[in-house]
Amino acid sequence: MRDIFAEIWATAKRNKLRTGLTGFAVAWGIFMLIFLLGAGNGLINATEQNNNQFMDNSMVVFGGETSKPYKGFKEGRPIQLNDRDFGLTKNRFATHIEEVGAIVSQGPLTISYGENYTSSPVLGVFPNYQAINKIEMCYGRFINNIDNEQQRKVIVISDEQAKELTSRPIQSLIGQYVDVGSNAFQVVGIYKKKQSGSSSYGNTPFNTLRILYGGGDNMEQINFSFHGLDTEADNESFEKSLRSSINKNHDAAPDDNSAVWIENRFTQALQMKTGMSIIRTALWIIGIFTLLSGIVGVSNIMLITVKERTREFGIRKAIGARPWSILKLIIIESVIITTFFGYTGMVLGIMANEYMDMTIGHEEVDAGAFKATMFVNPTVGLDVCVEATLVMVIAGTLAGLIPARKAAKIRPIEALRAE
């Protein structure tokens, strides 16, 4: 075996260009597959992270404006959601709905603590607002059902607002009273402001804010989480039924899609997953074709190698070399070249992905209203890297096997006549 390796090394040295081209084809195919998949995964992960701001199985209902006349009313009539709509949503659709909440807003209002102040809109919310909007608490707690039932004057502010209100550690605000407009509210929680959010909001109990500012029975949004709607068809049917029911409450046409707007995060997530799946498939197709180009390159060069050494193989057979020894020599040469350069391409691909992760993988685009990460973990699993390298090695071996069988079968006299 040592003699075979020595002979392969001597052959590679004599044919540096040929060996280099073979190695480049192998390394480039592996490198491009790993690099493309890594970059694609980085973009996909970033997109999913930037869009993962809300609970997938949730909907938000808004009042809109009628687009067609109905029951003597003209089009263009605004629809204001109210307690009847809230009760209808909660009771008639209880089979699928888990928890219902609503939102009213006021402001922007001045929130002050001592000599420090900030200004922002204040939302009146139900406890489910935290789960639906994936609000992460830094300190304290969020609004609960008791706050709403007892109409407590409590408020949950963002860490950004807290930093404006005190120069001390922001957790020191928990339990303190701040002035919200002309009313004193106790701070019960501080949440982490999302990078994609356009502004910070103060969150108070829904009933408290609506009563303080004379909201009557009106509300701006109805939000809820749901279960049992697993397909787009199920969701479309549910939305149609919910919209029709709420429209009837306001004497609007049941099929008027403009009277009530429904934002369905589940169907949005399905569409996003479909889009990401298409991108992943496209990346794999491009990567595989790049890998195939490397395999074709190896095959062509191995065919040329056998043709160039036809006379050599004829002499070997003439002096007693067995067909298996020639076959083994070509196959081992193919395996060694593809393994070495395949491993080199794999390492370079992993290094390129790691470099992306260390540079653009931590950069954010600041558009003023929001910040978004462009790349998140632009890497490929080690299993994919190893599998791609093994595919190239096996393909290189098969590429060498076909001409090797031809060389092993050639008769010495025909080999010696070859040019």
Side-chain angles (χ1 to χ4, degrees), residues 38-229:
N41 286 337
L43 286 170
I44 290 169
N45 293 337
T47 302
E48 290 177 345
Q49 177 176 295
N50 294 330
N51 287 278
N52 189 30
Q53 304 293 326
F54 308 102
M55 181 187 291
D56 284 348
N57 59 317
S58 65
M59 294 189 196
V60 181
V61 183
F62 307 86
E65 189 175 272
T66 58
S67 61
K68 57 181 70 174
Y70 187 71
K71 287 188 176 180
F73 294 100
K74 294 183 177 180
E75 70 274 12
R77 184 165 48 93
I79 300 299
Q80 174 68 61
L81 299 179
N82 54 39
D83 286 344
R84 286 180 62 204
D85 302 319
F86 183 90
L88 179 149
T89 303
K90 183 177 181 179
N91 299 321
R92 184 174 297 180
F93 300 92
T95 303
H96 295 293
I97 289 179
E98 296 171 348
E99 190 173 0
V100 184
I103 296 176
V104 290
S105 66
Q106 193 67 31
L109 299 174
T110 299
I111 303 174
S112 60
Y113 179 65
E115 297 181 354
N116 301 318
Y117 66 91
T118 184
S119 181
S120 74
V122 176
L123 304 181
V125 300
F126 279 72
N128 71 329
Y129 183 82
Q130 180 186 7
I132 287 177
N133 292 276
K134 294 187 176 180
I135 294 176
E136 181 182 346
M137 298 300 297
C138 299
Y139 305 101
R141 63 173 178 83
F142 198 71
I143 304 301
N144 60 34
N145 286 319
I146 298 176
D147 295 331
N148 242 328
E149 291 168 2
Q150 298 183 2
Q151 301 169 22
R152 291 175 175 174
K153 291 183 180 180
V154 295
I155 188 169
V156 178
I157 59 176
S158 72
D159 54 354
E160 183 180 69
Q161 291 172 315
K163 290 172 184 176
E164 294 287 334
L165 295 176
T166 181
S167 57
R168 298 171 60 193
I170 59 175
Q171 59 265 37
S172 64
L173 285 175
I174 300 296
Q176 301 299 312
Y177 283 85
V178 296
D179 291 326
V180 181
S182 58
N183 298 282
F185 280 70
Q186 185 181 31
V187 178
V188 295
I190 298 172
Y191 69 89
K192 183 178 180 180
K193 180 181 178 293
K194 294 180 181 179
Q195 293 296 317
S196 61
S198 58
S199 61
S200 294
Y201 296 93
N203 297 304
T204 65
F206 174 87
N207 290 334
T208 303
L209 193 69
R210 189 166 70 164
I211 289 173
L212 278 177
Y213 290 92
D217 67 346
N218 294 331
M219 55 191 63
E220 295 168 21
Q221 298 177 22
I222 298 173
N223 50 52
F224 55 86
S225 54
F226 61 87
H227 63 272
L229 304 175

